[in-house]
Amino acid sequence: MQLISKETIKEKLFNIVVKASNLQERIALHGNGSYQKDKLNFSGSKERWEKWTKTVAKGNKEKFNRRLKWAGLEREKLTFVLADYFPLITELPAWAITLEKIIETAEKTSQSEQESDRDKYFIFGEPIPFEEFYLPFIKVAKEKILATYSNQWQKLSSQAQVDLLRGLLSKLSHIGTATLMKEFDNFRVGENRLKDLLSLRFSLDLSRRKYDSWLNKLLSTSLWELFSQYSVLGRLLATTIDFWVATTGDFLSRLSNDWQAIEDNFSPEQPLQQIIGCKCNLSDSHNCGSSVIIITFDTELKVVYKPRDLGLEATFYQIIDWFNEQAELLSLPSLKILNYTTHGWSEYVSALPCKDELEIKRFFQRSGMLICLVHVLEGQDFHYENLIAQGENPVLVDLEALLHSQISSKQITQKDAFSIAQKELRESVFQTYLLPQWGLNPKDSIKLDISGLGNTEEDYDLTTLTLKHINTDSMQIDYEILKIEDLNSPVLNGVKISAENYLAEILQGFEQMYDFLLKNQAELLSSSSLLKVLKNQQVRFLFRNTRVYAEILQQSYHPDVLEYGIDRSIALDVLSRGFLLSEEKHTYWSI
């Protein structure tokens, strides 16, 4: 093992931090005069200008200049920002300290210890690409958790602890796989790259000789080299560790503080002793990587942890309870919610089949009632993941997009039937996303209905990138049919039932709820109405489809943009492209 002096380590860390600095950080440092003029290298500046112009404005310089003007950016200053240069930073950020600890841990861990750690952390579940590479990351994360939350961590069974660590592992792997795959490819092929790659594809070698050799070299001596080249990757992985420690610490503290209340509300008959399982990463991540976790107690009780204010859900289900008391109609399902403003706990909903045709009809009648109520409450984004078919009850399980703000748009200038129809649909019940959506646009290329009442198994032709022969010498990128866990469709005798055969029931339920709301309009608009409680609730604003953000994030993990932070900033700035369609600064430019 090669020993590196503390001075050299510090210099390496500062160089990594400098390379990983993003556009905003470079602008701030330039504004403070915090750069070394004698070390400026403009060789890549021109190429970055061209790349940025192409990314943002498809090469249109006039549009690109508008983007700079609206952001208050001056081209002369940006010439320095886009260069390869060395800002004068005097303090290492927290993520750099974490990265140093990770590299140090990797270098101190022997091969036998690596194998022991793998058995300790990864014996559960399917293999994750390059999982052994992340062992020092996992060890550092666990050490940080135990340093502050040791007592709370012990409340979890060994399985639940591994569940949380594997949740972290999945996040790390999602970020690093493309770069590690590129580096492994370079290691395992000889001078005739094309021949060797074809050989790997058609002559499978499921051994791990090359894989283990590459991995051991990387972990024992080459991590400094890896992160000196891919500095942004080092930043992202270390930041993910710090975020995970913070959000997991919040989860453990909240779980400990709320334990008795959880027992009183969700398990009054049986004491809760221990958590035996945690299902992680079940939602989009927000606020430094927080996401939904389903926890399983020793009594088999399942409760859903949501790291946000659940006031909206709590009030919605109070409205449902009020409706069930007032209306002489089919009752609607209600959920228990325990809200603490910063987070909350929700009753777990399991998918159940219907017993007979009558229950199927009641399911769709209730669906029509919910569609009406969600439409009245300006709800959006109620896709298949936000509705669970529990027998004859359609249960909404994520309500953060109720009361959704409307995005204003310029009056339609086109008078063709399609443009007019699009506007009408945007202002109709279709905005709830509970009704089937695909096929409304003639440019739809994917026949996949992911609406709340959609059938994700019909006309299924969506593929995704994946890895085959994971963690072997023949590991390779491939395509597979994307599998969606569909819990939103009612099931009868093992067969999923399509909504299109029950339009009469959906319409009946919609009309019944509509008539009920009209009859009770005065009470609903009174000062004591539950609707008034909704006034100050926190809601989610969906400016773009979340799939757009997911795709852009995924592209930003490509190794080509993980060397310099400025390059990743340029890749992410594709988000500004849509605003440049107008010659005037857009109302939502600040987004």
Side-chain angles (χ1 to χ4, degrees):
M1 182 183 299
Q2 183 182 2
L3 296 177
I4 305 176
S5 67
K6 289 185 178 180
E7 290 75 17
T8 303
I9 288 174
K10 189 173 183 180
E11 182 180 352
K12 284 177 177 289
L13 278 174
F14 272 103
N15 286 338
I16 289 172
V17 171
V18 166
K19 281 189 67 177
S21 60
N22 59 38
L23 177 64
Q24 290 76 18
E25 291 164 343
R26 285 184 172 223
I27 290 172
L29 288 167
H30 181 274
N32 295 331
S34 301
Y35 62 94
Q36 300 177 39
K37 295 182 180 179
D38 59 324
K39 292 189 176 182
L40 283 170
N41 180 359
F42 291 97
S43 61
S45 186
K46 181 180 179 181
E47 185 179 336
R48 287 194 176 108
W49 273 118
E50 293 174 353
K51 180 68 175 178
W52 198 3
T53 305
K54 184 177 179 180
T55 298
V56 170
K58 297 183 179 181
N60 186 312
K61 293 182 180 180
E62 183 182 347
K63 285 186 177 181
F64 181 68
N65 287 334
R66 287 207 298 270
R67 184 259 180 273
L68 298 182
K69 179 182 177 182
W70 293 344
L73 300 176
E74 297 178 21
R75 181 176 283 271
E76 183 180 348
K77 291 181 179 179
L78 286 175
T79 301
F80 289 87
V81 170
L82 296 182
D84 293 334
Y85 77 121
F86 294 84
L88 293 171
I89 57 174
T90 58
E91 188 175 346
L92 290 171
W95 65 262
I97 306 301
T98 298
L99 185 64
E100 179 186 9
K101 179 66 175 175
I102 289 165
I103 297 174
E104 179 185 296
T105 300
E107 293 177 342
K108 288 182 177 179
T109 304
S110 66
Q111 187 173 345
S112 60
E113 287 175 315
Q114 288 178 24
E115 293 173 357
S116 173
D117 288 337
R118 186 189 185 286
D119 291 340
K120 187 187 302 181
Y121 297 125
F122 305 140
I123 57 174
F124 304 101
E126 294 295 319
I128 293 174
F130 303 106
E131 60 187 12
E132 297 92 345
F133 171 80
Y134 301 106
L135 277 170
F137 295 81
I138 298 297
K139 290 180 72 173
V140 169
K142 186 175 180 182
E143 288 172 7
K144 285 175 172 279
I145 279 289
L146 290 176
T148 309
Y149 304 99
S150 179
N151 292 336
Q152 296 93 326
W153 184 259
Q154 301 311 321
K155 269 281 190 182
L156 309 177
S157 68
S158 58
Q159 172 68 68
Q161 292 172 7
V162 170
D163 287 343
L164 287 175
L165 292 170
R166 282 184 65 83
L168 169 60
L169 177 63
S170 295
K171 289 185 175 185
L172 295 170
S173 180
H174 185 67
I175 295 169
T177 292
T179 301
L180 294 179
M181 193 69 223
K182 177 182 177 181
E183 291 300 298
F184 182 45
D185 264 348
N186 291 335
F187 176 85
R188 65 182 173 176
V189 299
E191 294 181 1
N192 193 332
R193 181 176 176 83
L194 178 59
K195 179 182 177 182
D196 288 341
L197 286 175
L198 288 173
S199 176
L200 284 168
R201 187 165 187 85
F202 296 109
S203 301
L204 291 182
D205 181 3
L206 300 184
S207 67
R208 294 165 53 102
R209 291 186 298 274
K210 290 184 178 180
Y211 175 78
D212 285 340
S213 176
W214 168 76
L215 192 66
N216 292 334
K217 179 178 182 294
L218 189 63
L219 290 175
S220 60
T221 62
S222 301
L223 281 185
W224 281 117
E225 182 181 336
L226 178 73
F227 292 129
S228 291
Q229 179 178 358
Y230 299 106
S231 297
V232 184
L233 176 64
R235 176 178 185 165
L236 291 172
L237 295 177
T239 301
T240 300
I241 294 294
D242 290 342
F243 281 178
W244 182 86
V245 171
T247 57
T248 302
D250 286 342
F251 164 68
L252 293 172
S253 294
R254 292 163 177 174
L255 178 63
S256 179
N257 294 336
D258 304 342
W259 192 282
Q260 190 59 55
I262 293 171
E263 185 177 289
D264 293 342
N265 282 270
F266 299 104
S267 184
E269 306 296 327
Q270 274 186 300
L272 305 173
Q273 300 297 328
Q274 191 181 42
I275 305 294
I276 63 170
C278 295
K279 193 172 182 181
C280 307
N281 306 336
L282 296 177
S283 67
D284 296 330
S285 61
H286 303 287
N287 301 327
C288 300
S290 296
S291 62
V292 172
I293 303 174
I294 296 175
I295 57 175
T296 305
F297 291 88
D298 53 308
T299 62
E300 300 299 326
L301 170 73
K302 291 184 178 182
V303 176
V304 183
Y305 165 74
K306 296 188 178 183
R308 58 177 175 80
D309 187 345
L310 296 189
L312 197 61
E313 277 94 333
T315 306
F316 178 82
Y317 284 114
Q318 288 175 3
I319 293 172
I320 292 294
D321 292 337
W322 171 81
F323 166 82
N324 289 338
E325 291 175 1
Q326 301 294 321
E328 297 180 356
L329 300 169
L330 288 177
S331 62
L332 291 174
S334 180
L335 292 184
K336 292 180 182 178
I337 302 290
L338 191 57
N339 186 40
Y340 288 93
T341 67
T342 57
H343 66 285
W345 309 89
S346 173
E347 181 181 352
Y348 175 76
V349 180
S350 56
L352 296 172
C354 289
K355 298 174 183 177
D356 51 38
E357 176 68 15
L358 184 58
E359 286 197 354
I360 291 290
K361 290 183 176 182
R362 288 201 292 260
F363 174 90
F364 286 111
Q365 187 177 340
R366 287 187 171 97
S367 296
M369 295 163 71
L370 281 176
I371 290 171
C372 180
L373 186 56
V374 170
H375 177 53
V376 167
L377 294 177
E378 296 283 355
Q380 293 189 17
D381 201 41
F382 285 88
H383 50 75
Y384 77 100
E385 292 178 310
N386 292 337
L387 187 145
I388 295 177
Q390 190 176 56
E392 63 180 71
N393 290 309
V395 186
L396 298 177
V397 293
D398 191 354
L399 299 158
E400 62 182 351
L402 280 178
L403 307 177
H404 196 279
S405 299
Q406 297 300 313
I407 299 175
S408 62
S409 57
K410 291 186 176 180
Q411 190 173 3
I412 291 179
T413 55
Q414 299 97 323
K415 299 299 181 181
D416 59 284
F418 177 68
S419 297
I420 295 172
Q422 273 193 318
K423 180 178 184 297
E424 293 294 324
L425 287 172
R426 281 198 300 269
E427 297 173 356
S428 76
V429 71
F430 272 90
Q431 72 175 351
T432 66
Y433 214 62
L434 281 162
L435 292 171
Q437 303 287 304
W438 76 265
L440 299 179
N441 190 325
K443 296 181 180 180
D444 282 349
S445 59
I446 298 175
K447 296 181 179 180
L448 179 63
D449 179 13
I450 60 171
S451 62
L453 292 178
N455 188 343
T456 59
E457 293 186 346
E458 288 187 359
D459 299 312
Y460 203 23
D461 60 358
L462 192 61
T463 58
T464 184
L465 281 173
T466 187
L467 285 181
K468 291 178 66 176
H469 319 303
I470 292 175
N471 303 340
T472 71
D473 290 351
S474 289
M475 180 161 50
Q476 58 194 244
I477 295 174
D478 207 340
Y479 291 89
E480 67 176 5
I481 296 293
L482 184 63
K483 296 178 181 177
I484 292 181
E485 186 179 8
D486 173 7
L487 302 176
N488 63 313
S489 299
V491 175
L492 180 61
N493 299 324
V495 178
K496 292 183 179 180
I497 307 301
S498 173
E500 65 183 75
N501 298 320
Y502 293 87
L503 297 180
E505 284 76 15
I506 294 173
L507 285 171
Q508 180 186 11
F510 188 97
E511 290 173 353
Q512 288 175 337
M513 176 61 76
Y514 195 93
D515 289 342
F516 171 81
L517 295 176
L518 280 178
K519 289 176 182 178
N520 292 272
Q521 185 177 33
E523 183 174 351
L524 287 168
L525 296 179
S526 69
S527 58
S528 60
S529 169
L530 282 168
L531 293 182
K532 299 293 183 181
V533 182
L534 291 171
K535 180 179 179 180
N536 296 313
Q537 299 300 332
Q538 188 178 75
V539 299
R540 183 179 180 187
F541 177 59
L542 296 169
F543 184 67
R544 307 177 198 254
N545 190 306
T546 52
R547 282 177 291 174
V548 173
Y549 293 117
E551 289 172 7
I552 291 172
L553 267 178
Q554 186 59 47
Q555 292 166 8
S556 79
Y557 298 144
H558 192 280
D560 287 353
V561 296
L562 293 186
E563 294 191 23
Y564 288 89
I566 187 66
D567 294 326
R568 186 167 187 261
S569 292
I570 289 172
L572 290 171
D573 202 35
V574 69
L575 286 166
S576 66
R577 180 184 291 179
F579 294 100
L580 300 179
L581 296 174
S582 169
E583 294 187 5
E584 301 298 325
K585 190 174 182 180
H586 198 283
T587 305
Y588 298 106
W589 172 254
S590 59
I591 291 178

